Amino acid sequence: MELNMPEVNVTAIPAFADNYIWLLSIGGTECAVVDPGDAAPVRQVLRQDGLDLAYVLLTHHHADHIGGAAALAEATGAEVHGPHDPRIPNRPHAVREGETVALPRLGLRFEVLEVPGHTTSHIAFVGHGCLFCGDTLFSVGCGRLFEGTPAQMLASLDKLAALPPATRVYCGHEYTLANCAFALEVEPGNADLLRRARAAEAARAAGRATVPSLLGEELAVNPFLRSRQPAVVAAARRRDPAAEPGVSTLAAIRAWKDTF
Ligand SMILES: [Zn+2]
């Protein structure tokens, strides 16, 4: 679908205990970051790699995703793009579903998807084989429902699940090990999930990130993307005997995970 689009290099800048700030470049000196919750580690990478920050993309208003945006924009002149949400200070360029965010200094373009659930105004950026989904979809998990409903989260996850299976999923946190432990409670017989859990353990033991994952892999192992699968529905019924495939199963396993 994007055969004429440039390849984008994406690297993780770890922040706080388990956040990832994603750094995008195409090999030149200009770059973009996604969800800079903290300016300091971004500044350090810019300095160390001789990069100019041209763009900041924000997925949602939580402080651990936007906390460094204003300071970075102020220091570098970077353009900031994010959702329509008055809780994000300094008025970023606000975008809605169906709009495209153009990053002309990098030759990159991302489509915007509205993915409410974790928060009401959460958005995701899709392009160049990459999905930047903040705290909506995690590897083997999904975000907590702080503001949205299970139905909203399911609709958002369905939207992401419809992207090409080779899409690389760049989420906002390193939560994969804990997510695997929970997912194995839900689907202990899922062989793909067992493999994913072992691979994640090996990656963490070697000090590597477990993300990005591929969307196609997530469809096979992520219980929140599998809320219509019989094994997941059966597990949800241990919590809510009335759970049906879809929204009520997602609601039951999300509530279960909240106290896991
Ligand atoms: Zn969040």
Side-chain angles (χ1 to χ4, degrees):
M1 64 175 206
E2 291 157 342
L3 295 177
N4 299 319
M5 295 291 214
E7 273 290 304
V8 57
N9 304 317
V10 184
T11 55
I13 303 176
F16 308 117
D18 50 32
N19 281 73
Y20 288 128
I21 300 167
W22 297 108
L23 176 85
L24 285 61
S25 67
I26 56 163
T29 59
E30 302 207 283
C31 69
V33 290
V34 182
D35 285 356
D38 189 358
V42 176
R43 282 207 181 99
Q44 192 187 327
V45 170
L46 297 178
R47 211 171 24 240
Q48 160 196 310
D49 295 351
L51 293 169
D52 295 319
L53 183 66
Y55 305 99
V56 173
L57 304 182
L58 303 175
T59 63
H60 69 294
H61 75 282
H62 285 159
D64 63 317
H65 293 254
I66 68 168
L72 288 168
E74 170 83 25
T76 64
E79 251 178 47
V80 183
H81 298 268
H84 285 266
D85 194 319
R87 296 172 293 189
I88 300 177
N90 297 66
R91 292 171 175 272
H93 297 270
V95 289
R96 288 197 191 283
E97 173 132 340
E99 294 180 351
T100 299
V101 176
L103 314 184
R105 289 165 66 186
L106 290 170
L108 301 175
R109 301 167 71 80
F110 292 95
E111 286 169 35
V112 175
L113 295 177
E114 291 177 355
V115 286
H118 177 67
T119 69
T120 50
S121 66
H122 201 304
I123 60 174
F125 299 93
V126 183
H128 310 274
C130 302
L131 165 65
F132 298 96
C133 50
D135 290 356
T136 297
L137 175 64
F138 293 121
S139 185
V140 202
C142 78
R144 277 181 191 255
L145 300 178
F146 283 122
E147 299 175 3
T149 64
Q152 282 178 318
M153 181 56 99
L154 180 63
S156 295
L157 294 176
D158 282 346
K159 225 181 254 185
L160 301 182
L163 296 170
T167 304
R168 295 191 297 280
V169 178
Y170 293 94
C171 57
H173 290 270
E174 179 60 66
Y175 286 162
T176 312
L177 285 186
N179 286 345
C180 284
F182 174 72
L184 283 165
E185 289 287 312
V186 177
E187 277 195 285
N190 182 332
D192 291 322
L193 175 58
L194 278 164
R195 264 193 300 278
R196 174 65 175 134
R198 287 199 199 102
E201 277 164 25
R204 294 311 288 156
R208 293 195 314 270
T210 64
V211 288
S213 58
L214 297 180
L215 183 62
E217 294 171 356
E218 292 300 323
L219 294 172
V221 300
N222 189 318
F224 299 96
L225 293 176
R226 295 169 59 75
S227 61
R228 298 178 186 90
Q229 295 291 324
V232 177
V233 177
R237 284 183 179 149
R238 295 181 353 229
R239 303 281 302 192
D240 172 8
E244 292 293 333
V247 175
S248 53
T249 288
L250 183 123
I253 60 172
R254 185 58 260 180
W256 179 5
K257 174 72 163 61
D258 287 347
T259 58
F260 181 72

